[in-house]
Amino acid sequence: MKKVLGVYSAPRPHWVGDGFPVRSMFGYDSHGKHLSPFLLLDYAGPAQFAPAARPRGVGQHPHRGFETVTIVYQGEVDHRDSTGAGGHIGPGDVQWMTAAGGILHEEFHSEAFTRQGGALEMVQLWVNLPARDKMSAPGYQTLLNRDIPSVALPDGAGQVRVIAGEFDGHRGPAQTHTPMNVWDVRLNQQGVATFDVPEGHTLALVVLRGTVMVNGAEIVREAQLVHLERDGTQVQVEANNDATLLLLSGEPIDEPIVGYGPFVMNSDAEIRQAIDDFNRGRFGQMTH
C-alpha cells in the first residue's frame, strides 16, 4: 500500500471571471512540485446560477507550457481559442487543451445553460509538459462522454471512467505527453475498491463528493485532497456514502517548475520570454 503523506482541505472559494466560483485544491507553488506531472486543480461549484441574458465566464487569457483538462459534472461550457478551435462540453465531457508554446482562450457558460440557469460543477486540472514539449504547437482534444470507457468495479462497488491511462484493460481516449492516469471514480455507499498504479508514480485522490476512508485509516471528506507517497503500488478506498473522486497518478517530470500565473516553464528567463511574447501579440489573435 502507498503511504498517505497528507490530507489537505480546500481553501475558501474565489471567483475566476464571473462564471466559476472555484476552490483551488492544489497549485504549483504549494503541492504542485510534489504532485508532478500535475500542477494545479480548481474545483468549480457545485453552484446554482439563475437564468441570465449574457453568458458568464472568463474572457480572453493566455497559457503556455502545460495542458488544461476540464471535466464537466454539471452544466455546459463553450470555449474558443486563438488557433481558431472551439468547443462545447456538457456533463461527462472533457476538454483537454494543450497550450504548449502559447494559446489565448476564453471559457463561458453555454447559451442554453445561460438562458435556463442551473447547477454548474466542474474541475480544471493543469498537467505539466516536459521541457521538450513546452514550446510545441498548441492542440486540442474533445473527449465526449460517449468516448470515455466506463468500467464497473468488482462487487458492485461503483465505476471508473478512464479519461487518461489504463484501468482494468480499458484505455482512456486522452493522448498524453508523459505516462499518467486520470480516472473519474464513483463509489457506491459502502463500496470498497483497491486501485493499482505503477511503482514510482505520484498519486493523489481528490474527493469531490461524499466521505471515504483511505487505506483503512484516513477519513477524507468532500473537497479534500489526499497525497500518497511514490513508493508502493496500491491504494484502497472505502465509501461511507455515495462518493465522487478523481484519482490522479503519473510519472513525475523531474525538471524545474518556474511558474508565473498562466505560464509554467523551467526557468525565470523562459517566464520573461513568455510575458514578452504575450505582450507582443505572439500568442495569436482571438477572432470574433
Side-chain angles (χ1 to χ4, degrees):
M1 286 286 179
K2 283 180 172 280
K3 197 171 112 223
V4 172
L5 295 176
V7 177
Y8 304 94
S9 296
R12 294 176 63 85
H14 64 275
W15 283 87
V16 174
D18 64 357
F20 305 102
V22 308
R23 288 171 282 184
S24 295
M25 303 297 298
F26 64 88
Y28 57 73
D29 48 359
S30 57
H31 303 93
K33 290 190 168 67
H34 308 290
L35 294 178
S36 175
F38 308 106
L39 291 168
L40 174 149
L41 188 139
D42 278 349
Y43 180 27
Q48 286 290 331
F49 284 89
R54 183 186 61 80
R56 302 176 180 95
V58 56
Q60 181 176 321
H61 59 285
H63 291 297
R64 172 178 279 180
F66 59 96
E67 304 183 286
T68 67
V69 180
T70 306
I71 304 167
V72 181
Y73 293 92
Q74 301 183 80
E76 289 180 342
V77 176
D78 285 337
H79 104 109
R80 296 186 321 118
D81 67 41
S82 51
T83 69
H88 171 90
I89 49 171
D93 299 337
V94 176
Q95 164 196 307
W96 197 296
M97 185 182 82
T98 305
I103 205 166
L104 301 175
H105 81 143
E106 60 181 34
E107 299 155 287
F108 285 95
H109 298 177
S110 74
E111 286 189 17
F113 181 80
T114 299
R115 280 197 311 272
Q116 293 158 11
L120 181 94
E121 182 182 11
M122 53 204 303
V123 157
Q124 187 169 88
L125 170 69
W126 291 12
V127 176
N128 203 7
L129 289 170
R132 65 173 185 267
D133 294 327
K134 280 188 177 291
M135 291 300 291
S136 55
Y140 181 72
Q141 303 172 69
T142 301
L143 311 175
L144 297 176
N145 186 29
R146 63 172 180 262
D147 301 323
I148 297 171
S150 185
V151 186
L153 289 164
D155 306 318
Q159 63 182 41
V160 175
R161 292 198 325 136
V162 190
I163 295 167
E166 188 170 336
F167 177 79
D168 196 24
H170 297 263
R171 279 208 74 75
Q175 302 287 318
T176 66
H177 290 255
T178 56
M180 71 187 69
N181 294 304
V182 177
W183 299 341
D184 172 12
V185 180
R186 314 295 167 102
L187 291 176
N188 299 323
Q189 188 168 354
Q190 309 308 326
V192 184
T194 300
F195 299 102
D196 290 281
V197 301
E199 178 72 42
H201 267 213
T202 299
L203 179 62
L205 301 173
V206 183
V207 179
L208 303 177
R209 290 174 170 248
T211 303
V212 301
M213 185 157 65
V214 176
N215 290 348
E218 296 281 349
I219 301 291
V220 189
R221 297 187 166 80
E222 160 168 325
Q224 287 191 318
L225 162 77
V226 192
H227 178 204
L228 294 103
E229 69 177 2
R230 292 177 184 180
D231 297 338
T233 60
Q234 289 192 324
V235 62
Q236 187 196 66
V237 186
E238 179 179 350
N240 183 45
N241 40 24
D242 289 354
T244 300
L245 50 142
L246 270 178
L247 182 148
L248 307 173
S249 87
E251 183 179 282
I253 300 170
D254 286 322
E255 296 172 352
I257 295 173
V258 179
Y260 179 79
F263 308 133
V264 182
M265 303 300 288
N266 300 115
S267 69
D268 290 331
E270 289 172 334
I271 291 294
R272 287 194 296 273
Q273 184 68 55
I275 294 166
D276 188 54
D277 287 348
F278 171 64
N279 288 336
R280 289 170 184 263
R282 292 181 184 143
F283 279 49
Q285 298 292 319
M286 297 279 295
T287 54
H288 280 278

